[in-house]
Amino acid sequence: MEGQRREPVSLRARMRYRFDNTLAVSTGRLVGWLAVTCLGIVVPASAAMVWTDPSSPRSPTGRLIAVWRISAQTLRLGAVSGAPLRMLLSVLLGLVALLYVSTLIGLITTVLTDRITELRRGRSTVVETGHSVVLGWSDQVFTVVAELMAARAGRRWGAVVVLADRDKTEMEEALAAALGPTRTTRLICRSGSTADPDALRLVSPGSAHSVLVLPGAEDEGDAETVRTLLALRAVLGAHPGPPVVACVRRERHRTAARLAAGPRGVVLESDRTAAGLIAHAALHPGLTPVLRELLDFAGDEFHLADAPEPAGRLFGDVLLDCATAAVAGLVRADGTPLLNPPAHTVLAPGDRLVVVAPDDAPPRWEDGRDLVDPSATVPSSEFADEPSRFLLLGWNRRAPHLVDQLRRGARPGSVLHVVTDPAEQAPPPLLPPPPLPEPRRSAEPVGGLTVTFGAADPTDPSSLRALGPDSHDRVIVLGPDSGGRADRPDDRTLVVLLVLRALAQESDSGPPVVAELADERNRALAPLGPGSEAVVGGQLTGLLMAQVAQNRHLAAVFEELFASGGSALRLRPAHRYAPADRPASFATVVAAARERGECAIGYRCHDPTAPAGHRVALNPAKSDTRVWSGTDDIVVIVTDGPAEGGGGAGGSGTNHEARAGTS
């Protein structure tokens, strides 16, 4: 405005403004200002040094020459004195040398900066052989990388390479914070799209020991997994390549993923696997820690071993002869798995035994029949449990698979009451195929399981109290699909668990709860009572992926173990195999299990020092002798038989037919 008075500008501000404008014009002016500044400091300082030096020349000419020499030496422009022409030539040579050195330093700095920037971006090629490649970034990445490192702990200079469309530094910091020191195994991260063949070439998949493709995000994750598998085949070309283990979230994408993975690929389905694990926890209380112990590389896990002179031997004879491993089944020469085959099964040439052992070293064989005490065995008899009542709170993508697993595993006459929040979207048809109607309040029989439906807000104490959770044998809490809660998907589940815990404290009792969690870190936050469990489906799926990646021949073994209608992992009371009032060796338990057509691979005992109150011991020594108490369970592998139902609220002595599905 014309009448508005301008604020006075100081001389310093004006000079700073003009100086900034001068520097912004060109690089030449910047060089000129640098030269003027240097001369303005060096020449006066040199003159002061000469005039204060008692040994300096007395004549003005001599002192000027001395000032020139000091200034020239400081500026590295030469220090020649004499005729003006010589001095000018000296200055010229000094300027050329200064220009050359400065240019060389600038080029070296630029090259190093670009190289460091390229390395930090994670775009350099990995030159490794026998390494493990992890493609993608999901909840399973920390579990998978940790297990791959544990599997390679005994090998020197192993490497695990992670490729994801994320910043390399962020990935390294996140993995370092979660995993800690990596010891002898090197962790290498590269940035790029897993569906880009050029990015895949950076991790050298052709020379890798195995490649794992993690499931993607909720919405487009399966499509991204299929594209990644196709890009991997394009990179490998005609080369057979390493075994590939991939995971999709939805069943309808598994066929496409299998075709894209090729004949050496194994594709798991995370939704069905997670639902099966939850069903395991509901039908087999205490079995989740056993599965975790069996799937991780920290203790004992499945391996394939050669039996000494296997041809013509009976499977039942080798159960007691393996001193350092627990025999669970065999794999025929054509790759067909037989878990817990009949004791009279004859081993043929090329057959390999499925054993539970601490590592893949050859087991030690010796006659263990002397360790069996025939007088300590318990006669075989049939035990039947009562039908169970289950309360399912919540609904998500995995719920239809969970209901299907409960239908297959629960004893006929059992009841499942499904409660959904009316504020949320109604669940889809229950069990496709065959499809069932939308959930409603009327009973819907599904096989031997009766399913009823209701609507209530499980986070409301009054609504949850009206459901009568104490009248049920087991309460299952499902979390909502991530959607907008991708960062904190377990908030609702934790609130429901708090309400259930409060109701249990009001009545001084409450049924065991099985809670589905998405984040392993929330396990410590979950307010669970005695006999309750938290199932982190993504973690156990990651453990399964790591196991199959280390030995692809185990894929068929796990599929047989977890598939409906095959063999099953169960917990059974120890008093069914050994008397509870006298010591008995584990070899005696193995022999008693063999008489019942089962393979005993370990036990679960009460241990107050353990986080969950119990300790799992897989593959104990056959000579391990102890007094088996009423709280002990034997871990056995059984063959499909009559379904045995979900017992009461106790955590011991339950027999149920349920398997986590990977198919």
Side-chain angles (χ1 to χ4, degrees), residues 391-394 419 421 424 456-461 464 467 469 475-480 490-504 513-516 526-528:
L391 176 61
L392 175 60
L393 301 177
V419 177
D421 190 343
E424 296 182 349
D457 182 4
T459 62
D460 181 15
L464 193 54
L467 295 174
V475 177
I476 306 172
V477 181
L478 294 183
D490 295 329
D491 288 355
R492 177 184 175 86
T493 303
L494 295 176
V495 172
V496 175
L497 292 178
L498 284 171
V499 177
L500 286 171
R501 189 67 175 149
L503 296 180
V513 179
V514 178
E516 178 194 30
L528 298 173

Side-chain angles (χ1 to χ4, degrees), residues 336-652:
T336 302
L338 295 176
L339 289 178
N340 186 40
H344 55 77
T345 301
V346 179
L347 275 67
D351 291 349
R352 305 189 71 188
L353 294 175
V354 180
V355 299
V356 178
D359 51 45
D360 55 0
R364 180 166 52 87
W365 298 92
E366 59 186 30
D367 191 352
R369 289 176 294 179
D370 296 339
L371 300 174
V372 179
D373 183 4
S375 63
T377 57
V378 176
S380 177
S381 58
E382 294 296 330
F383 296 87
D385 294 318
E386 297 296 327
S388 298
R389 290 176 54 83
F390 300 99
L391 176 61
L392 175 60
L393 301 177
W395 192 269
N396 57 26
R397 246 186 10 252
R398 296 163 291 283
H401 300 301
L402 173 61
V403 176
D404 181 49
Q405 292 290 337
L406 293 176
R407 174 181 66 84
R408 297 172 185 272
R411 183 172 179 81
S414 298
V415 176
L416 170 66
H417 185 50
V418 180
V419 177
T420 58
D421 190 343
E424 296 182 349
Q425 183 179 1
L430 188 57
L431 294 175
L436 293 179
E438 295 287 334
R440 54 184 182 274
R441 295 185 181 274
S442 60
E444 179 71 30
V446 185
L449 182 70
T450 299
V451 183
T452 60
F453 306 95
D457 182 4
T459 62
D460 181 15
S462 60
S463 299
L464 193 54
R465 186 182 294 108
L467 295 174
D470 291 344
S471 63
H472 296 80
D473 298 316
R474 197 81 56 202
V475 177
I476 306 172
V477 181
L478 294 183
D481 292 325
S482 296
R485 305 183 183 93
D487 295 333
R488 305 175 67 175
D490 295 329
D491 288 355
R492 177 184 175 86
T493 303
L494 295 176
V495 172
V496 175
L497 292 178
L498 284 171
V499 177
L500 286 171
R501 189 67 175 149
L503 296 180
Q505 291 176 351
E506 290 179 1
S507 59
D508 293 331
S509 65
V513 179
V514 178
E516 178 194 30
L517 295 177
D519 192 340
E520 168 66 20
R521 294 172 296 182
N522 291 328
R523 184 192 297 273
L525 306 181
L528 298 173
S532 300
E533 298 181 54
V535 178
V536 185
Q539 182 196 39
L540 294 179
T541 303
L543 294 176
L544 182 59
M545 292 183 66
Q547 285 283 347
V548 176
Q550 288 303 110
N551 189 344
R552 67 185 182 90
H553 299 290
L554 291 177
V557 174
F558 284 113
E559 188 165 359
E560 170 69 16
L561 181 65
F562 293 151
S564 300
S567 300
L569 194 67
R570 291 184 181 175
L571 284 176
R572 287 190 168 171
H575 64 76
R576 299 188 184 182
Y577 304 89
D581 57 349
R582 55 180 295 186
S585 65
F586 187 70
T588 303
V589 173
V590 173
R594 179 182 60 181
E595 296 301 320
R596 291 166 173 77
E598 303 166 355
C599 290
I601 62 173
Y603 62 88
R604 176 178 177 263
C605 65
H606 181 71
D607 184 0
T609 62
H614 288 81
R615 178 175 63 91
V616 176
L618 294 179
N619 182 34
K622 301 295 189 300
S623 59
D624 186 4
T625 302
R626 63 193 310 270
V627 177
W628 302 92
S629 68
T631 59
D632 294 342
D633 292 308
I634 305 299
V635 183
V636 294
I637 296 179
V638 302
T639 306
D640 188 14
E644 296 176 332
S652 179

